[in-house]
C-alpha cells in the first residue's frame, strides 16, 4: 500500500521560498497544497509559477482552513515566533527558516511551545547538508586522520547579497546572524559542541548598518579548537560565493575542502583528491546550486523524519546550541571577552 502524500503549506513567497517550493516538488511523497504571503503580488506570482490554487494573505486563515500535514515557514526572522506558535496551537508540525529567532529567549520559548503541543519542529539550517560538507564529515568519520585537534570553517566573499535580500543591509546585525550562523552550525556538525567562544567583528562596507566581517575562535567539547571566519568584504581574483572552505587537522593526517569543491584527504596511507562539486539540479542556477542542493537534502530529511516520528538533525532543540553561539559571538565582540557557553545555558 502506498502512503498518502504529506501535504505541505508554505508561508512566505519571497526571495528564498522559490528554492523551497522547487525542492518540495522533488521530494517523493510531498505535495504543496497551499501558500501564504501578506504581499498580494508575491503570492500571485508564486501561486501562478507553481500552479497552487489555495492562496492566503493571512496565516491565521490558512490554519483555520487546515487540511495540510506540515507548514514550512519561509519568512524573515521577525515573524518566526508568532508563526511557529500559531502552528503549535493548531497541532501542525513545523519547519522554520534560519535564523530561527532574534533572541535565544524567543527560541527557547518556541521550542518549549512546540514540545508542549507535541509538535515536531525543525529549523531549516541547511549548510551542513551541502554534499561537500557531508563529504568532510564522512572523511572525519573514516578515522584515517586520527583525533581532530584543529579546524577552520571559512566563508570569504564580496558577492552582492543585498540586491536579492535588501533587508540584510538594514539590520543592526548582519553577517553572524545571517551567514555566520551557517558556519557556526557547520563547525558544531564537524567538530562537536562548543564550550567557549571569542569573536571580533568589523564593518568594512559603509553602506550597510551591521558587521560584514567576523572572526571567531571556538573551544569544542572534545578538545578541538576551531576558527570560524566569514566576510562579505573580501575581493578575490575569482568570486567564490557561496562556497565554504574547510580545514581539519588530525593527529594522523589532514582534510582540506578547497575552493572549486576539491577535497584532499591525507592519512598515513597517502593522499586522495576528490571532486565533491554538488550536482546542478534542473531548477538550480550557479552560483547558488550548492545551497539549492542542500535545500532539497534538508527537506527530504524532514519528510523522512516526519514519516517515522524521528527527531530531525537540526531540530529546534538542536538549533538552540547554534543560536547560543550567535548570541555569544555578538556578546564577545561587544565586550572584548570570551564567552563561556555553559553560562549562556
Ligand atoms: P523575503 O523578504 O524576500 O521574503 C519573505 C516573505 O515573507 C515576503 O514576501 C513577506 O511578504 C512574507 N511575510 C513576512 N511575514 C509574513 C507573515 N507574517 N505572513 C505572511 N507572509 C509574511 O525574505 P527571504 O530573503 O526570502 O528570506 C526569508 C528567510 O529565509 C529569512 O529568514 C532568511 O534568513 C532565510 N534565508 C535562508 C537561506 C538559506 O540558505 N537557508 C538563504 C536565504 C534566505
Ligand atoms: O544563506 C543565507 O541565509 C543567505 C546568504 C547565503 C545570501 O547569506 O542569506
Amino acid at each position: 500500500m502506498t502512503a498518502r502524500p504529506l501535504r505541505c503549506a508554505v508561508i512566505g513567497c519571497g526571495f528564498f521560498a522559490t528554492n523551497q517550493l522547487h525542492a518540495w516538488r522533488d521530494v517523493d511523497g510531498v505535495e504543496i497544497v497551499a501558500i501564504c504571503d501578506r504581499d498580494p503580488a508575491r503570492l500571485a506570482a508564486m501561486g501562478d509559477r507553481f500552479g497552487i490554487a489555495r492562496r492566503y494573505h493571512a496565516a491565521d486563515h490558512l490554519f483555520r482552513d487546515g487540511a495540510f500535514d506540515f507548514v514550512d515557514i519561509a519568512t524573515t526572522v521577525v515573524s518566526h515566533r508568532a508563526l511557529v506558535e500559531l502552528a503549535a496551537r493548531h497541532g501542525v508540525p513545523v519547519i522554520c527558516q534560519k535564523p530561527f529567532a532574534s533572541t535565544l529567549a524567543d527560541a527557547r520559548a518556541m521550542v518549549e511551545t512546540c514540545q508542549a503541543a507535541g509538535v515536531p519542529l525543525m529549523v531549516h539550517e541547511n549548510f551542513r547538508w551541502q554534499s561537500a560538507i557531508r563529504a568532510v564529515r564522512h572523511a572525519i568519520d573514516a578515522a584515517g586522520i586520527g583525533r581532530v585537534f584543529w579546524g577552520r570553517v571559512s566563508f570569504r566573499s564580496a558577492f552582492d547579497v543585498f540586491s536579492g535580500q535588501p533587508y540584510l543591509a538594514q539590520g543592526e546585525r548582519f553577517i553572524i546572524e545571517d551567514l555566520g550562523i551557517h558556519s557556526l552550525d557547520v563547525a558544531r556538525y564537524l567538530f562537536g559542541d562548543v564550550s567557549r567562544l571569542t569573536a571580533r567583528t568589523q564593518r568594512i562596507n559603509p553602506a550597510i548598518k551591521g558587521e560584514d566581517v567576523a572572526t571567531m575562535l571556538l573551544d569544542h567539547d572534545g578538545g578541538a579548537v576551531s576558527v570560524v571566519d566569514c566576510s562579505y568584504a573580501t575581493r578575490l581574483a575569482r568570486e567564490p560565493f557561496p562556497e565554504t572552505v574547510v580545514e581539519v587537522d588530525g593527529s594522523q593526517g589532514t582534510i582540506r575542502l578547497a575552493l572549486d569543491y576539491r577535497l584532499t584527504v591525507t592519512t598515513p596511507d597517502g593522499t586522495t583528491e576528490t571532486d565533491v562539486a554538488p550536482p546542478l539540479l534542473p531548477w538550480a542556477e550557479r552560483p547558488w546550486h550548492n545551497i539549492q542542493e542542500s535545500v532539497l537534502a534538508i527537506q527530504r530529511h524532514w519528510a523522512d523524519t516526519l514519516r517515522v516520528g524521528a527527531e530531525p538533525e537540526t531540530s529546534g532543540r538542536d538549533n538552540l546550541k547554534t543560536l547560543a553561539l550567535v548570541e555569544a559571538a555578538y556578546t564577545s565582540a561587544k565586550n572584548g571577552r570570551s564567552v563561556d557557553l555553559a553560562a549562556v545555558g
Side-chain angles (χ1 to χ4, degrees):
M1 194 176 75
T2 337
R4 174 175 70 70
L6 291 168
R7 296 161 303 172
C8 162
V10 179
I11 305 178
C13 297
F15 172 78
F16 201 69
T18 306
N19 298 312
Q20 293 171 227
L21 271 90
H22 274 300
W24 285 129
R25 291 211 296 204
D26 283 0
V27 179
D28 284 340
V30 171
E31 76 179 307
I32 311 160
V33 296
I35 54 172
C36 170
D37 198 298
R38 61 186 178 198
D39 178 329
R42 287 186 155 191
L43 183 67
M46 197 71 93
D48 293 351
R49 180 168 180 183
F50 288 90
I52 300 155
R54 271 183 70 191
R55 303 174 188 182
Y56 295 86
H57 294 116
D60 50 345
H61 293 171
L62 168 77
F63 281 101
R64 187 192 57 201
D65 286 358
F68 48 90
D69 300 302
F70 70 90
V71 65
D72 186 13
I73 298 172
T75 59
T76 44
V77 67
V78 67
S79 55
H80 287 174
R81 181 166 177 182
L83 292 172
V84 166
E85 292 183 346
L86 184 61
R89 279 201 296 283
H90 285 83
V92 174
V94 53
I95 312 173
C96 182
Q97 255 298 347
K98 54 58 65 178
F100 181 43
S102 310
T103 66
L104 201 48
D106 271 359
R108 287 194 184 115
M110 292 151 79
V111 169
E112 276 164 25
T113 303
C114 288
Q115 209 166 311
V119 155
L121 166 66
M122 182 179 85
V123 178
H124 187 122
E125 180 43 79
N126 51 320
F127 270 38
R128 64 160 72 189
W129 286 95
Q130 292 173 14
S131 49
I133 303 294
R134 299 312 265 199
V136 173
R137 178 74 247 181
H138 184 71
I140 293 173
D141 290 342
I145 68 158
R147 184 182 64 80
V148 172
F149 64 86
W150 184 88
R152 179 177 174 219
V153 177
S154 175
F155 182 106
R156 311 196 76 78
S157 164
F159 186 79
D160 174 20
V161 282
F162 310 109
S163 56
Q165 297 163 269
Y167 58 89
L168 294 177
Q170 290 149 17
E172 294 289 338
R173 293 178 167 189
F174 168 40
I175 200 167
I176 300 175
E177 185 179 78
D178 183 66
L179 186 279
I181 194 169
H182 293 305
S183 312
L184 290 165
D185 188 68
V186 167
R188 280 189 55 229
Y189 171 62
L190 297 179
F191 310 126
D193 285 333
V194 177
S195 55
R196 201 163 194 85
L197 184 150
T198 312
R200 297 290 179 269
T201 56
Q202 295 159 278
R203 180 165 61 87
I204 306 303
N205 179 350
I208 68 168
K209 220 168 161 189
E211 83 292 349
D212 53 1
V213 179
T215 309
M216 297 165 271
L217 176 68
L218 278 56
D219 291 305
H220 295 268
D221 288 347
V225 169
S226 74
V227 176
V228 174
D229 58 281
C230 44
S231 166
Y232 273 123
T234 300
R235 291 169 206 288
L236 294 161
R238 182 185 72 72
E239 172 51 58
F241 179 87
E243 287 187 51
T244 296
V245 165
V246 179
E247 298 177 49
V248 188
D249 287 7
S251 52
Q252 304 294 321
T254 54
I255 302 167
R256 294 291 181 267
L257 173 63
L259 292 181
D260 296 320
Y261 307 102
R262 285 178 297 106
L263 182 72
T264 306
V265 180
T266 300
T267 71
D269 296 332
T271 295
T272 56
E273 290 192 11
T274 321
D275 178 357
V276 290
L280 183 66
L281 297 170
W283 47 268
E285 56 184 347
R286 295 178 195 279
W288 289 88
H289 61 301
N290 75 332
I291 292 182
Q292 289 165 319
E293 180 223 14
S294 70
V295 168
L296 176 57
I298 195 172
Q299 291 184 185
R300 271 201 183 118
H301 174 65
W302 165 260
D304 291 345
T305 56
L306 190 60
R307 279 194 200 97
V308 299
E311 180 167 340
E313 201 175 293
T314 58
S315 64
R317 204 161 59 94
D318 175 84
N319 198 255
L320 292 179
K321 295 183 193 171
T322 296
L323 266 182
L325 300 185
V326 170
E327 281 297 318
Y330 283 112
T331 303
S332 172
K334 190 172 168 196
N335 66 23
R337 290 192 291 274
S338 57
V339 173
D340 176 357
L341 268 299
V344 176

